[in-house]
Amino acid sequence: MNELGRLEDLPADYREKLARQNLVPLWPSLRAVLPPDKPQPRTRATHWSYEALRPLLMRAGELTPIEKAERRVLVLANPGHGLEKMQASAAMYLGMQLLLPGEWAPAHRHTPNAVRMVVEGEGAWSTVDGEQCPMLRGDLILTPTGLWHEHGHDGDAPVVWLDVLDLPLVHYLEASYHVDGRRQRVEPVRGDRAYARGGLVPAPVFRREAERSGKAYPMLRYPWADARAALESLAADRPQLEAVQVAYVNPETGADAQNILGYYALMLRPGQTLRLPARSPAMMFHVIEGGATVQVEDQRFALAEADTCCAPGYCAVTLSNASPDAPTFLFIADETPLHKKLGVFETRA
Ligand SMILES: [Fe+2]
């Protein structure tokens, strides 16, 4: 490959004249922005142990009252981007959020999309667009762009959940902002009840519109009991199936549940090793039940229950479950919907 001219090859007075006119020569930086064959991601494969972070999160509960935090979160920051950037990958933000009994995280809405995956505790709820969603371990709750949401806790032990947002991307686009609101009125309807069975959707008789509910996000809570049952049923129906995985989708359209990040639940059978092909989007893995080894190229992480890790795009990832008798269940988030919409999605052999 041709060696390109460097910035220091240019006379100093010429470089100064360029800078004064807000001009930059491309050739010294061309290889950095268009590297050969494969991107050079800043995202590093990173593992966050729940056992290690939990005491620090509980300490945050002692140090900072909810009124001083609004959202009491420790961000799972990728050192490759610099911790202060608070991002797990180019488009993904991850955070562990703590809500103590009796606390209320006030209503707001914002442009970035979020989901919550409940990690521990009972008695908390999220009210999203007027739907009060109970938060049980393993449940996935959407708080899509623009929808009001608030969190409360009527139980008696701490509740922790994993937040996944497309904040780094929306912030990069200079489109990130929030609006504060008042406590929402809880509506009697709930999408997770109306769409409780796969393949069966509410069929309005008196509605004239072509669309069904007319809602961009008809289902806001995906109970873990249902996702787990779907995986077990799929595994039993297709014993030869290599990857037992379900996607969280909009039940009316079958499209991804959100526009930017994709969400999936994956079951590793006892003793299973699953080799994922290298694909362009970065990925996040979180253990809902069991344990897993995640190998990202030459790095290997042993994930215990409630652990989280991330992998950059264009990397082959191998997942394995060493248990001889128990399945492992993973929650996965990735940047696939974004890459597909932008036309840059790739799978490599
Ligand atoms: Fe929020």
Side-chain angles (χ1 to χ4, degrees):
M1 197 169 45
N2 215 7
E3 193 75 13
L4 300 179
R6 298 166 307 170
L7 198 58
E8 51 271 33
D9 298 337
L10 299 170
D13 68 311
Y14 176 68
R15 278 150 57 187
E16 273 160 36
K17 278 179 188 147
L18 290 178
R20 240 175 279 136
Q21 301 302 320
N22 297 319
L23 297 169
V24 174
L26 173 62
W27 57 98
S29 307
L30 184 61
R31 299 285 188 238
V33 292
L34 289 171
D37 188 47
K38 178 179 168 237
Q40 298 292 319
R42 301 192 64 183
T43 303
R44 269 190 235 157
T46 307
H47 172 208
W48 294 272
S49 151
Y50 190 62
E51 196 188 9
L53 77 80
R54 190 184 185 281
L56 298 169
L57 187 57
M58 294 303 147
R59 184 89 175 103
E62 295 160 14
L63 294 170
T64 308
I66 193 73
E67 297 74 25
K68 289 284 177 195
E70 211 165 283
R71 298 295 190 267
R72 193 191 290 109
V73 177
L74 293 181
V75 178
L76 279 50
N78 194 300
H81 289 272
L83 299 183
E84 72 289 350
K85 288 281 170 63
M86 300 197 299
Q87 58 192 100
S89 72
M92 270 188 288
Y93 156 106
L94 305 173
M96 280 288 178
Q97 182 158 172
L98 169 66
L99 198 64
L100 294 170
E103 288 184 337
W104 180 60
H108 71 183
R109 60 181 182 170
H110 38 72
T111 45
N113 295 275
V115 299
R116 298 85 195 21
M117 162 57 52
V118 184
V119 177
E120 76 163 73
E122 278 178 23
W125 44 265
S126 292
T127 300
V128 187
D129 196 26
E131 293 191 27
Q132 193 169 69
C133 303
M135 299 179 87
L136 302 174
R137 196 173 77 88
D139 287 357
L140 184 78
I141 291 157
L142 309 187
T143 56
T145 181
L147 297 196
W148 293 109
H149 57 280
E150 62 196 273
H151 314 290
H153 188 355
D154 303 326
D156 48 23
V159 164
V160 177
W161 63 80
L162 172 69
D163 289 313
V164 186
L165 280 81
D166 47 30
L167 176 63
L169 177 77
V170 180
H171 184 256
Y172 173 75
L173 296 173
E174 300 185 339
S176 178
Y177 72 95
H178 91 283
V179 180
D180 287 326
R182 283 197 298 255
R183 194 179 273 262
Q184 297 166 79
R185 202 180 69 186
V186 174
E187 304 293 340
V189 295
R190 282 237 317 260
D192 60 319
R193 293 193 293 235
Y195 300 91
R197 297 284 180 271
L200 298 169
V201 297
V205 170
F206 300 105
R207 185 175 282 278
R208 288 205 191 99
E209 297 89 66
E211 278 106 340
R212 292 173 185 278
S213 71
K215 286 186 173 181
Y217 305 96
M219 187 162 162
L220 297 167
R221 173 175 181 252
Y222 296 74
W224 174 234
D226 293 343
R228 195 184 196 284
L231 287 165
E232 288 194 313
S233 176
L234 179 61
D237 182 63
R238 296 167 197 199
Q240 306 310 320
L241 191 66
E242 212 182 334
V244 183
Q245 182 175 248
V246 293
Y248 293 92
V249 300
N250 176 324
E252 291 189 344
T253 64
D256 298 300
Q258 290 186 343
N259 284 325
I260 295 175
L261 301 179
Y263 303 102
Y264 319 86
L266 183 130
M267 171 177 161
L268 292 170
R269 296 184 177 94
Q272 185 181 4
T273 293
L274 180 66
R275 286 180 184 80
L276 305 177
R279 300 174 331 143
S280 53
M283 303 182 84
M284 180 290 305
F285 304 93
H286 172 81
V287 181
I288 299 177
E289 279 183 49
T293 304
V294 179
Q295 178 149 0
V296 184
E297 290 186 336
D298 54 358
Q299 276 178 285
R300 239 176 128 81
F301 306 118
L303 270 64
E305 206 158 87
D307 281 9
T308 306
C309 80
C310 73
Y314 295 88
C315 283
V317 175
T318 302
L319 306 171
S320 33
N321 172 17
S323 168
D325 43 29
T328 284
F329 294 96
L330 298 174
F331 170 56
I332 299 175
D334 76 4
E335 301 164 339
T336 295
L338 173 67
H339 280 222
K340 288 193 169 167
K341 287 187 177 85
L342 296 179
V344 298
F345 181 85
E346 242 186 85
T347 301
R348 295 190 175 184

